Amino acid sequence: EVQLVESGGGLVQPGGSLRLSCAASGFTFSSYAMSWVRQAPGKGLEWVSAISGSGGSTYYADSVKGRFTISRDNSKNTLYLQMNSLRAEDTAVYYCAKDPLEMATIRFDYWGQGTLVTVSS
Amino acid sequence: DIQMTQSPSSLSASVGDRVTITCQASQDISNYLNWYQQKPGKAPKLLIYDASNLETGVPSRFSGSGSGTDFTFTISSLQPEDIATYYCQQYDTLCAFGPGTKVDIK
């Protein structure tokens, strides 16, 4: 059974940093691209970033480019999102999501339950 | 950037009704479109991929159609457990979600 478990969310001040993690199990992690998708309170879904299975290709939404970095450790079956220079508008539940292919098609067949990031002073 | 629109933004229907949601892309995305269901407090769930393919395990009352810029999602007979928000998503160029359609029971 595919399982994706996010962690690392919390309250952070504007301008601060936070690193999210997503622990994967139930599938061969290195064989699939992964993404982060966020949802602000009461709002719709917004794709944030994607990474190929090998980690060699990364993609970002314009809203986070230059501030967020996606990475993965295939030996630990873990996906990461390093978030710097955080803004109030980054407040959201952050989901990790699995792609059905190794290359990042940026579509999602499995999702984690999400971790809440709140950016506030 | 490709923009996605959905209509209606919300709807209320009776159990057993046929429900239709439309999704439009700002440019041709071929069939690179998925549909997700999100229940309150839960993660989204993939229902339809590549515009018209039913994800494994998803009830056959859900269906999708379309290509190019215009897409349709249908619930053939609305059930109480279908109360949720439904999102379309294009992956022709990176990724963009539609704003969602909230479905309620009348």
Side-chain angles (χ1 to χ4, degrees):
Chain A
E1 179 192 6
V2 171
Q3 286 201 321
L4 301 169
V5 180
E6 302 92 338
S7 61
L11 176 64
V12 60
Q13 293 188 338
S17 297
L18 209 56
R19 188 177 84 156
L20 305 183
S21 300
C22 171
S25 61
F27 63 102
T28 304
F29 184 66
S30 60
S31 294
Y32 298 95
M34 299 290 295
S35 279
W36 289 97
V37 177
R38 69 185 180 183
Q39 186 169 35
K43 302 297 184 182
L45 300 167
E46 180 189 15
W47 170 74
V48 172
S49 183
I51 186 168
S52 62
S54 67
S57 299
T58 57
Y59 309 87
Y60 297 93
D62 287 344
S63 58
V64 306
K65 200 174 295 182
R67 301 188 299 123
F68 290 11
T69 301
I70 192 170
S71 62
R72 63 192 296 159
D73 185 337
N74 287 343
S75 68
K76 296 182 178 179
N77 290 350
T78 302
L79 174 72
Y80 302 101
L81 186 68
Q82 177 67 45
M83 304 186 295
N84 298 331
S85 303
L86 283 161
R87 307 166 179 166
E89 55 265 35
D90 296 317
T91 294
V93 173
Y94 285 73
Y95 296 101
C96 70
K98 174 186 168 292
D99 201 295
L101 297 177
E102 191 279 340
M103 58 177 283
T105 58
I106 316 186
R107 55 190 175 120
F108 319 111
D109 56 359
Y110 289 93
W111 298 64
Q113 286 306 301
T115 187
L116 176 63
V117 172
T118 302
V119 184
S120 174
S121 55
Chain B
D1 292 2
I2 298 176
Q3 308 299 320
M4 306 300 292
T5 58
Q6 280 182 242
S7 63
S9 57
S10 65
L11 67 89
S12 187
S14 300
V15 172
D17 281 355
R18 183 180 185 88
V19 168
T20 299
I21 299 169
T22 62
C23 175
Q24 188 168 58
S26 59
Q27 63 190 68
D28 190 336
I29 59 168
S30 185
N31 67 332
Y32 298 127
L33 183 106
N34 295 331
W35 289 95
Y36 299 89
Q37 175 193 65
Q38 187 179 33
K39 297 183 177 181
K42 300 293 187 182
K45 174 187 175 182
L46 177 64
L47 299 181
I48 302 287
Y49 64 95
D50 296 348
S52 60
N53 294 293
L54 194 67
E55 177 73 350
T56 301
V58 173
S60 59
R61 65 180 180 273
F62 297 100
S63 65
S65 64
S67 66
T69 61
D70 296 301
F71 302 87
T72 301
F73 172 81
T74 301
I75 307 173
S76 61
S77 176
L78 186 67
Q79 300 302 304
E81 60 265 32
D82 300 336
I83 300 313
T85 300
Y86 294 85
Y87 295 93
C88 60
Q89 177 237 336
Q90 70 83 14
Y91 58 97
D92 175 78
T93 304
L94 293 180
C95 171
F97 289 93
T101 297
K102 187 174 181 181
V103 175
D104 281 329
I105 295 286
K106 190 182 297 182

